[in-house]
Amino acid sequence: MDIFLDSTDLAEIRTLAETGLIDGVTTNPTLAAQQKRPFKELIQEICLLVDGPISAEVIAEDAEGMIKQGHELARLHDNVVVKIPMTLEGLKACRILSDDEIMTNVTLVFSATQALLAAKAGATFVSPFIGRIDDQGWNGMDLIRDIKHVFSNYLFDTSVLAASIRHPQHVLEAAKAGADVCTIPPKVFHQLYRHTLTDIGLKSFMDDWNKSGLTL
Ligand code: E4P
């Protein structure tokens, strides 16, 4: 499973990219608004930090506007993926941008039928929002399984990108469900490798070593 960071925080992206474990980045208008700088400049900076797909979302709501903005965003860097909302206009734009060989990510997906249409429109990625489904009292991970099932029936190339990830259990469940990508907020990434027993074990190893007088 590829791991993307769901963030516009350049310091966090830089730090975590140094692990060599980050395969891409997703952004959205809310995350972009947290940074007080021009959006296109922000996306270009992220492209310099991570060598992988970088999702940048269009703001237009009509297909013509989305296509125009999609071309502008795609010109920023070869790795830019144009993120398009899951609407009828978005599907039209996705079809045209995909035919123009521009990578696309259809976002705000909450059902397998939406994902099916996005795949038929040629989307490179489809983003089901797991956490927001859980927030409504349903099981977001069932949607990942349903989409994987539908896509495997028809050999679609579209990658299933598990989004709206809230905690490490989501990451584990996404991997078990066969999500192609999981996009993770930095806070959740840090929770993935930390464990109290690791800290306790390491401290006791170091204490014993330091008491022994041994040198390496
Ligand atoms: C995905 O690309 C979105 O940016 C993101 O995962 C949304 O998550 P949220 O529900 O935590 O806002």
Side-chain angles (χ1 to χ4, degrees):
M1 183 174 73
D2 280 351
I3 293 181
F4 289 3
L5 279 181
D6 196 25
S7 179
T8 52
D9 181 332
L10 294 177
E12 276 286 16
I13 295 171
R14 182 178 297 107
T15 300
L16 293 176
E18 284 169 2
T19 64
L21 297 172
I22 305 304
D23 302 297
V25 176
T26 51
T27 68
N28 64 42
T30 302
L31 291 172
Q34 292 167 3
Q35 309 302 325
K36 305 290 174 223
R37 57 187 307 173
F39 179 59
K40 287 179 182 164
E41 190 184 293
L42 176 72
I43 295 298
Q44 280 172 317
E45 286 269 359
I46 296 173
C47 288
L48 295 177
L49 296 175
V50 174
D51 185 16
I54 310 297
S55 287
E57 190 158 340
V58 295
I59 301 305
E61 294 187 55
D62 61 304
E64 197 183 332
M66 290 183 200
I67 293 162
K68 183 171 173 292
Q69 291 178 358
H71 278 283
E72 286 169 19
L73 292 171
R75 271 196 292 275
L76 295 176
H77 194 283
D78 284 351
N79 285 343
V80 167
V81 176
V82 177
K83 207 169 174 190
I84 302 169
M86 176 63 228
T87 60
L88 196 60
E89 291 297 297
L91 288 170
K92 281 198 264 181
C94 181
R95 179 73 274 163
I96 288 169
L97 290 169
S98 299
D99 289 346
D100 289 343
E101 299 192 346
I102 289 173
M103 290 187 287
T104 51
N105 175 358
V106 175
T107 189
L108 291 166
V109 165
F110 295 92
S111 77
T113 50
Q114 289 181 321
L116 174 64
L117 294 182
K120 283 184 70 68
T124 317
F125 299 95
V126 62
S127 290
F129 274 38
I130 302 313
R132 293 193 195 187
I133 295 175
D134 288 356
D135 291 346
Q136 299 300 313
W138 298 310
N139 183 351
M141 216 47 72
D142 285 345
L143 178 56
I144 300 284
R145 285 184 275 273
D146 280 353
I147 297 172
K148 284 298 293 183
H149 183 163
V150 170
F151 283 11
S152 72
N153 284 349
Y154 302 104
L155 305 177
F156 283 123
D157 285 340
T158 304
S159 294
V160 179
L161 190 163
S164 185
I165 295 295
R166 304 267 199 263
H167 46 69
Q169 198 62 23
H170 272 157
V171 181
L172 176 61
E173 289 298 323
K176 283 161 73 175
D180 302 288
V181 186
C182 191
T183 190
I184 306 175
K187 177 175 163 256
V188 175
F189 187 95
H190 290 295
Q191 291 173 326
L192 291 180
Y193 62 84
R194 287 185 181 135
H195 199 289
T196 313
L197 292 179
T198 305
D199 297 343
I200 292 171
L202 183 59
K203 182 175 182 325
S204 111
F205 285 159
M206 289 303 106
D207 287 349
D208 290 343
W209 176 272
N210 290 333
K211 275 186 274 176
S212 73
L214 287 168
T215 53
L216 197 64

